[in-house]
Amino acid sequence: MRKFFTSESVTSGHPDKICDQVADAILDEYLRRDENARVACEVAATTDFMLITGEITSEAKADVEKIAREVIKDIGYTDKNVGFSYDSAEILVKLNRQSPDIAQGVDNSTESESGDIFDKTGAGDQGLMFGYATRETEELMPLALMLSHKLCKRLEDVRKSGELPYLRPDGKGQVTIEYDGGKPKRVEAVVLSSQHDEKVSTEKLRKDLREKVIDAVIPKEFIDGETKFYINPTGRFEIGGPNGDSGLTGRKIIVDTYGGKCPHGGGSFSGKDPTKVDRSATYMARYAAKNVVAAGLADECQIQVSYAIGVAKPLSVSAETFGTGKLPDGAIADIVAKEFDFRPAAIIEKLKLKRPVYRATATYGHFGKPDFSWERTDAVDKLKKYL
């Protein structure tokens, strides 16, 4: 059966992604100094202004404003004439300590008297989280999303290398895949938009982005005479970044996860330490789903896990394999619940989440990158025994 699916991504200079990167850079610095820091950092940005707010509880101290300016500079906002720059933006910091009501549930779960060390740490909030994997790509990620990420990463690379010196940091990419019988068949459409300076013509920009970005990323076998290309479709894109649109932490959660191929529980990731199950349990669900697919139990797998605040053990673990499972979905859910420990403290230990690794997650997706601990497939052997 013929159908279409679309996913998007954004560059590091997109206003929402600036905020995500600042929040995660702050988290990293606190974890560098205090691995037990509690961080829930939110960032907002607009024309030459940034607000950093939220709750941080730690014995460590960090120069939050300095961290933010370094991130903004690294992204490429270095010219105050474009309306947002590391050296001219006003940065307002309003941070408080974590609520003691939340802290008591995290530090002493309802099961803390069991004697199991992993029962002591309760979930930092209620909620539901999803993990997903599919055989569509070598990363076991959806094809439309991975191509969108690669387009935007390539857009950043040609800007930072000086190959296309007229580009500015803001940009977006989008790919539509046509499926036939459930398998990716071709690229139906590519949308690519990049901020640029006033000197480059629209014609040159479109030519360069087609040749140096799109053609360098999209596999030739997926492009045919019917594939549609929309490059800076409005024409000019000189005003961008926080000067063109306000930015906010956590507003690109679909870009961060599976590009819409999988449901999202609603919680954002960036700026949150791993006691927040919005982040850590989503990583664990991806780890479980990826290993299920890599082990051959299914070609496509979605894991859902849910929590109550202050409770260590998840309320539910379920699996959906969309008809691709070698075992019934209920059996796969039982296997996942048995073989993967979803208690927050166990997740943190298993995936080594107290390390300062989070800024790297804040651009081009939290999944599909081989260096992250939740992307390992080291549980494959123990899952294969169930086949």
Side-chain angles (χ1 to χ4, degrees), residues 70-321:
E70 288 174 348
V71 171
I72 296 166
K73 182 179 181 181
D74 181 59
I75 292 168
Y77 285 102
T78 58
D79 182 359
K80 62 182 179 182
N81 294 317
V82 304
F84 190 78
S85 179
Y86 80 100
D87 56 352
S88 64
E90 176 188 358
I91 297 180
L92 179 61
V93 179
K94 292 288 185 181
L95 292 167
N96 298 304
R97 292 179 65 84
Q98 184 182 60
S99 160
D101 294 342
I102 296 174
Q104 70 177 351
V106 174
D107 295 334
N108 294 285
S109 82
T110 58
E111 308 109 303
S112 59
E113 294 181 359
S114 72
D116 189 324
I117 189 171
F118 291 150
D119 277 343
K120 181 175 173 57
T121 302
D125 202 352
Q126 70 174 48
L128 51 142
M129 300 83 202
F130 290 90
Y132 178 80
T134 173
R135 290 197 182 280
E136 284 185 16
T137 63
E138 63 181 0
E139 299 91 351
L140 302 186
M141 288 286 288
L143 179 60
L145 180 65
M146 292 309 296
L147 290 178
S148 296
H149 282 329
K150 290 174 182 179
L151 281 174
C152 289
K153 181 62 168 63
R154 176 68 179 166
L155 197 58
E156 179 175 6
D157 289 344
V158 296
R159 170 178 63 86
K160 285 191 168 183
S161 70
E163 188 173 356
L164 298 181
Y166 55 77
L167 295 183
R168 287 175 177 167
D170 198 357
K172 302 178 81 171
Q174 182 174 290
V175 177
T176 300
I177 300 293
E178 179 184 340
Y179 288 79
D180 188 5
K183 303 292 184 182
K185 179 181 178 183
R186 56 182 290 276
V187 170
E188 167 69 12
V190 177
V191 183
L192 187 65
S193 297
S194 179
Q195 186 187 12
H196 56 84
D197 67 25
E198 69 284 354
K199 297 175 184 177
V200 66
S201 68
T202 302
E203 293 72 20
K204 177 173 175 52
L205 175 78
R206 287 174 171 165
K207 180 177 182 293
D208 285 349
L209 293 189
R210 174 64 194 270
E211 293 177 357
K212 298 182 183 297
V213 179
I214 294 174
D215 289 348
V217 168
I218 306 294
K220 291 181 174 58
E221 62 268 25
F222 281 102
I223 295 176
D224 58 27
E226 300 299 316
T227 302
K228 304 172 185 68
F229 299 94
Y230 302 91
I231 303 172
N232 277 38
T234 62
R236 308 302 289 173
F237 183 7
E238 295 176 31
I239 300 171
N243 189 38
D245 194 6
S246 61
L248 187 64
T249 308
R251 197 154 54 185
K252 285 291 175 282
I253 54 176
I254 300 303
V255 171
D256 286 343
T257 51
Y258 305 102
K261 266 281 191 174
C262 171
H264 196 295
S268 65
F269 305 150
S270 291
K272 294 180 179 178
D273 75 78
T275 66
K276 279 73 173 176
V277 284
D278 282 334
R279 182 170 219 159
S280 54
T282 302
Y283 290 175
M284 192 66 175
R286 161 63 177 174
Y287 174 63
K290 185 174 184 181
N291 276 273
V292 165
V293 171
L297 272 67
D299 292 333
E300 185 179 8
C301 182
Q302 174 184 294
I303 302 296
Q304 187 202 55
V305 59
S306 66
Y307 293 87
I309 188 169
V311 180
K313 293 183 177 67
L315 304 183
S316 65
V317 177
S318 63
E320 167 70 60
T321 63

